[in-house]
């Protein structure tokens, strides 16, 4: 078995070891060491990265037999070689903060809402905690965060040990151990005692802070998305920079940005309402002009504007008992619609689908309304076919 140096000292980033075997992990070559400070992926925690024998460590995995596989970039060193290992300290510290923060958040959620942890995942970008309560209140989450951050500020010691069976039986474990022998226990002094094989901070202050970014129902419970430590600081700095940028654009203080955004939103809604009214007036005027030139209760025209405006004009024309063919667009392909009053009459869905298809386009719809697309130069032919073939009551 490989001696797990990360259990003895989670802040050990440089070490020396001997390669005792070559192996494979899911078809990829790996090396096995007599001792390692590299943490393998396990318990929801991502693996360490770094260098071993001047080769990049791509992955570290633990198989069911307890062998720790180090997957390296390039050819592996010979068996028996003494090699130097270097753990990526920034990544390790992030994982220590995340895992310790997860333990504290799990206990705090249990205290605040009776929510037991089902699983957790400490990912590359975000971390999640799944609990068994579906309707978590914002107040309960806030209470849990306040408790955890208070303990972080108190700089309580975090200790890991392998207690004897009788001692283990007397401990107030938050969950049942997943193994029967050599149970490793992580004790956050006076707060949480949990069996765990991960790497953890040595004092709660190293967690740096914890924040829940959001929560949502998940598999009958709730999934919390959270960050701690360096990742949380980076996020807060990014958000502060974005807030400062908005404050500069609004020429206000950062704390006044919400009010400025609310004012802008109100102005936008008013402008949208005014635009809608203007578009409605324009649609009415355009419909009246087209109706005045209607031939045999039919209108066929290519309009400026977008498809929403064309639909509004079409509805006003149909209200006047007219059958309509309208096109709109400025690109190589036009949007087209055909519409008529509901009831007996020509099947415009069939007409537009068949005609557009022969002209290199496509369409579909119901007997009284259909829409599609055609090449720009095909509209004159579509219009001619519409005026020749479509009239009220036949097709």
């Amino acid at each position: 078995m490989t001696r797990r140096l990360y259990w003895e000292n989670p802040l050990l980033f440089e070490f020396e070891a001997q390669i005792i075997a070559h192996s494979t992990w899911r078809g990829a070559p790996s090396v096995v060491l007599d001792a390692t400070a590299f943490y393998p992926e396990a318990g929801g925690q991502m693996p360490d990265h770094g260098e071993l024998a001047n080769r990049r460590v791509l992955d570290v995995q633990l198989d069911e037999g307890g062998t720790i596989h180090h997957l390296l970039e390039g050819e592996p060193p010979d068996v028996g070689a003494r090699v130097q290992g270097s753990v990526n300290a920034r990544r390790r510290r992030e994982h220590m903060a995340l895992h310790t923060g997860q333990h504290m958040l799990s206990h705090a959620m249990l205290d605040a809402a009776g929510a037991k942890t089902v699983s957790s995942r400490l990912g590359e970008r975000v971390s999640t905690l799944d609990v068994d309560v579906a309707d978590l209140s914002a107040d309960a989450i806030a209470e849990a965060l306040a408790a955890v951050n208070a303990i972080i500020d108190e700089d309580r010691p975090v200790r890991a040990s392998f207690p004897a069976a009788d001692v283990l039986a007397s401990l107030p474990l938050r969950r049942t151990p997943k193994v029967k022998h050599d149970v490793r226990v992580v004790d956050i002094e006076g707060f949480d005692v949990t069996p765990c094989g991960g790497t953890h901070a040595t004092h709660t202050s190293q967690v740096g802070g914890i924040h829940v970014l959001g929560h949502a129902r998940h598999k009958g419970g709730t999934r919390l998305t959270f960050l701690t430590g360096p990742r949380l600081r980076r996020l807060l700095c990014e958000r502060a920079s974005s807030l400062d940028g908005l404050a500069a654009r609004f020429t206000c203080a950062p704390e006044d940005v919400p009010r400025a955004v609310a004012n802008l939103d109100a102005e936008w809604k008013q402008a949208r309402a005014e635009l809608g009214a203007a578009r409605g007036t324009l649609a009415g005027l355009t419909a009246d002009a087209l109706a005045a030139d209607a031939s045999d209760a039919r209108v066929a025209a290519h309009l400026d504007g977008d498809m929403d405006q064309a639909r509004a004009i079409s509805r006003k024309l149909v209200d006047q008992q007219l059958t309509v063919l309208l096109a709109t667009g400025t690109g190589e392909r036009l949007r087209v619609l055909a519409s008529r009053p509901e009831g007996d009459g020509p099947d415009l869905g069939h007409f537009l689908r068949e005609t557009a298809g022969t002209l290199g386009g496509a369409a579909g719809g119901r007997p009284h309304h259909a829409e599609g697309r055609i090449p720009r130069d095909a509209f004159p032919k579509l219009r001619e076919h519409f005026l020749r073939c479509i009239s009220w009551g036949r097709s």
Side-chain angles (χ1 to χ4, degrees):
M1 296 291 289
T2 300
R3 180 182 168 192
R4 304 188 187 193
L5 302 176
Y6 52 82
W7 277 350
E8 300 171 16
N9 181 5
L11 296 175
L12 177 67
F13 304 126
E14 305 287 339
F15 69 100
E16 181 179 297
Q18 183 176 26
I19 295 178
I20 58 175
H22 288 166
S23 187
T24 59
W25 169 259
R26 296 181 178 175
S30 68
V31 298
V32 181
L33 305 177
D34 65 343
T36 186
F38 286 101
Y39 180 80
E41 182 174 7
Q45 181 176 326
M46 301 297 289
D48 284 330
H49 289 169
E51 289 189 351
L52 184 67
N54 296 317
R55 295 162 176 82
R56 191 158 63 98
V57 177
L58 304 176
D59 197 5
V60 188
Q61 293 290 334
L62 176 69
D63 67 22
E64 293 181 356
T67 299
I68 299 176
H69 298 266
H70 303 75
L71 282 69
L72 309 180
E73 184 176 63
E75 290 295 320
D78 294 335
V79 174
R82 297 293 298 179
V83 293
Q84 297 291 323
S86 176
V87 177
N88 184 315
R90 175 178 171 176
R91 180 180 173 90
R92 164 67 69 78
R93 285 184 180 276
E94 287 186 359
H95 291 174
M96 290 165 57
L98 285 167
H99 211 150
T100 310
Q102 178 263 303
H103 279 217
M104 290 193 288
L105 183 59
S106 288
H107 196 114
M109 290 307 305
L110 192 61
D111 288 345
K116 295 181 180 179
T117 294
V118 177
S119 64
S120 64
R121 179 65 177 171
L122 312 178
E124 294 285 1
R125 295 183 60 84
V126 297
S127 297
T128 58
L129 180 73
D130 295 346
V131 297
D132 64 356
V133 173
D135 297 315
L136 278 179
S137 69
D139 288 345
I141 296 173
E143 179 184 337
L145 287 175
V148 171
N149 283 307
I151 292 172
I152 290 172
D153 290 343
E154 292 171 7
D155 193 27
R156 298 190 188 186
V158 180
R159 303 181 180 91
S161 64
F162 291 88
D166 58 334
V167 175
L168 180 66
S170 68
L171 295 176
L173 300 180
R174 176 167 46 82
R175 63 173 177 82
T176 303
K178 296 179 179 179
V179 296
K180 295 184 180 299
H181 305 288
D182 297 324
V183 178
R184 183 172 182 263
V185 172
V186 177
D187 183 354
I188 300 171
E189 187 177 87
F191 187 63
D192 185 70
V193 184
T194 302
C196 183
T199 57
H200 295 271
T202 59
H203 289 78
T204 58
S205 61
Q206 294 168 7
V207 176
I210 187 168
H211 183 66
V212 171
L213 303 179
H215 65 285
R217 289 194 177 189
H218 180 74
K219 295 183 177 179
T222 300
R223 168 164 289 181
L224 302 166
T225 302
F226 71 95
L227 283 181
T228 67
R231 293 188 184 182
L232 178 57
R233 287 198 301 274
R234 289 197 295 272
L235 176 67
L236 293 178
C237 287
E238 290 170 2
R239 291 187 174 181
S241 178
S242 297
L243 183 61
D244 289 342
L246 288 172
R249 293 192 65 179
F250 287 125
T251 62
C252 68
E255 59 268 25
D256 292 331
V257 166
R259 176 181 54 80
V261 171
N263 291 340
L264 183 64
D265 183 57
E267 292 173 4
W268 174 79
K269 288 178 179 177
Q270 181 179 352
R272 185 178 182 183
E274 292 172 354
L275 176 61
R279 286 171 65 95
T281 299
L282 178 60
L285 293 173
T286 304
D288 289 343
L290 292 171
D293 293 333
S295 173
D296 192 20
R298 296 166 301 175
V299 171
H302 181 191
L303 306 173
D304 294 330
D306 57 22
M307 196 60 170
D308 286 340
Q309 190 72 355
R311 292 188 186 105
I313 294 169
S314 172
R315 286 192 293 270
K316 292 183 179 296
L317 290 168
V318 169
D319 287 344
Q320 299 181 49
Q321 300 302 302
L322 297 174
T323 303
V324 180
L325 175 69
L326 298 179
T328 185
T330 58
E332 292 299 318
R333 297 179 72 82
L334 300 179
R335 299 281 300 273
V336 294
L337 68 81
S339 193
R340 64 166 175 81
E342 293 191 36
D344 294 335
D347 187 341
L348 297 182
H350 175 76
F351 164 78
L352 197 59
R353 181 171 57 252
E354 294 297 318
T355 309
T358 62
L359 296 174
R366 293 166 291 175
H368 69 279
H369 184 87
E371 296 184 10
R373 295 177 184 270
I374 60 170
R376 167 175 288 278
D377 58 7
F379 182 68
K381 293 181 180 179
L382 177 62
R383 180 179 185 277
E384 177 185 354
H385 195 55
F386 172 79
L387 294 175
R388 185 175 68 249
C389 299
I390 297 297
S391 65
W392 190 254
R394 65 183 179 87
S395 63

